Amino acid sequence: MASRRKPNRTVSAPDNFHFERASSRIDWDRLAGTNVASLQRRGDAAMLGKFIGDVAMGNARGDPEMETHQTHLKAFEMLQLQTQYLLFCHQTMRERHAEVERRLAKLQSHEEAYKRKAAVRKEKIRALAADAQAQDDVLQSYHAMLEMADPEKAARIAWTDDGRVVLQEKQPLRRTRRHKAAQKKFAKAQQETRWVR
């Protein structure tokens, strides 16, 4: 059973890209004097950059200095288009990398600023906590002095949830069962004392 081949999808280049027409004169003598095998072995990318004009933009069609087979000429022109697109991709990646670096530097700057603000805020909170503790120590000292001078009033001192010191109303004395039992026992003891006399 013959396999169904999917049709090739056309991938369009970005809108800001277009192929340039090859119009530069190719320096065939310089190309002929280049040791390609040595360049490939050494991985000399810098040397490749010197031939971008000839390879990517050189016009090999109708050059009187070089007789080129039409099939070879088409292959060369296809390589030129590929080179142009790769150069565009390389430049786009460099620009995007630079933009990412700028944004990253900006984010790092904001992060440092937030860290400084957080450190200042933390220091203020620490100072406020120390001040509150000192005030609480003073209040505790005053309360201890009040307990010695007026225990009843000291017992009515209370602290609210928001840190305020209030004086509670004097509560009436409640007669508990234990208190009533003690009173009855005391009265019975007094009565027995009178009978003995």
Side-chain angles (χ1 to χ4, degrees):
M1 184 177 179
S3 61
R4 295 182 180 180
R5 297 182 61 183
K6 295 182 179 179
N8 294 330
R9 294 182 179 180
T10 301
V11 180
S12 301
D15 295 336
N16 58 338
F17 170 77
H18 61 278
F19 292 108
E20 298 289 341
R21 185 175 64 88
S23 58
S24 300
R25 179 181 175 279
I26 300 177
D27 189 351
W28 296 108
D29 294 335
R30 188 161 68 103
L31 287 173
T34 302
N35 190 337
V36 179
S38 175
L39 189 148
Q40 181 180 8
R41 185 174 60 256
R42 292 183 286 109
D44 194 349
M47 180 62 70
L48 283 177
K50 297 179 180 180
F51 293 95
I52 288 179
D54 293 320
V55 175
M57 302 302 300
N59 184 13
R61 188 176 292 276
D63 191 337
E65 298 183 13
M66 181 63 64
E67 290 292 334
T68 309
H69 193 277
Q70 289 299 316
T71 303
H72 296 168
L73 182 61
K74 287 183 179 181
F76 180 73
E77 290 175 344
M78 289 293 294
L79 289 174
Q80 283 185 317
L81 297 180
Q82 291 175 356
T83 302
Q84 289 182 19
Y85 187 67
L86 289 175
L87 289 173
F88 167 79
C89 293
H90 176 69
Q91 181 63 26
T92 301
M93 291 178 63
R94 289 184 61 182
E95 292 174 356
R96 290 182 179 178
H97 179 265
E99 179 64 22
V100 169
E101 290 293 331
R102 284 194 295 268
R103 292 184 179 183
L104 181 60
K106 188 175 181 179
L107 289 174
Q108 289 176 343
S109 177
H110 288 326
E111 183 182 8
E112 292 298 327
Y114 290 146
K115 285 183 178 180
R116 289 193 296 270
K117 290 181 180 179
V120 172
R121 189 180 297 112
K122 187 176 182 180
E123 187 62 30
K124 288 182 179 180
I125 292 174
R126 186 182 295 109
L128 289 173
D131 187 39
Q133 183 62 43
Q135 293 181 10
D136 187 64
D137 293 341
V138 172
L139 291 175
Q140 292 293 343
S141 299
Y142 286 156
H143 189 262
M145 294 170 61
L146 183 60
E147 283 182 332
M148 296 177 61
D150 192 345
E152 182 182 353
K153 182 175 290 186
R156 293 166 56 195
I157 296 294
W159 281 265
T160 61
D161 293 337
D162 57 359
R164 293 181 297 111
V165 179
V166 296
L167 183 63
Q168 297 177 337
E169 295 293 335
K170 189 174 182 180
Q171 299 294 333
L173 180 64
R174 293 184 179 180
R175 301 176 65 85
T176 62
R177 292 181 180 180
R178 186 176 179 182
H179 181 67
K180 291 178 180 179
Q183 283 187 332
K184 288 181 179 180
K185 186 176 181 179
F186 180 73
K188 184 178 180 180
Q190 283 186 332
Q191 187 176 6
E192 290 176 354
T193 303
R194 287 197 299 269
W195 285 346
V196 171
R197 292 178 180 177

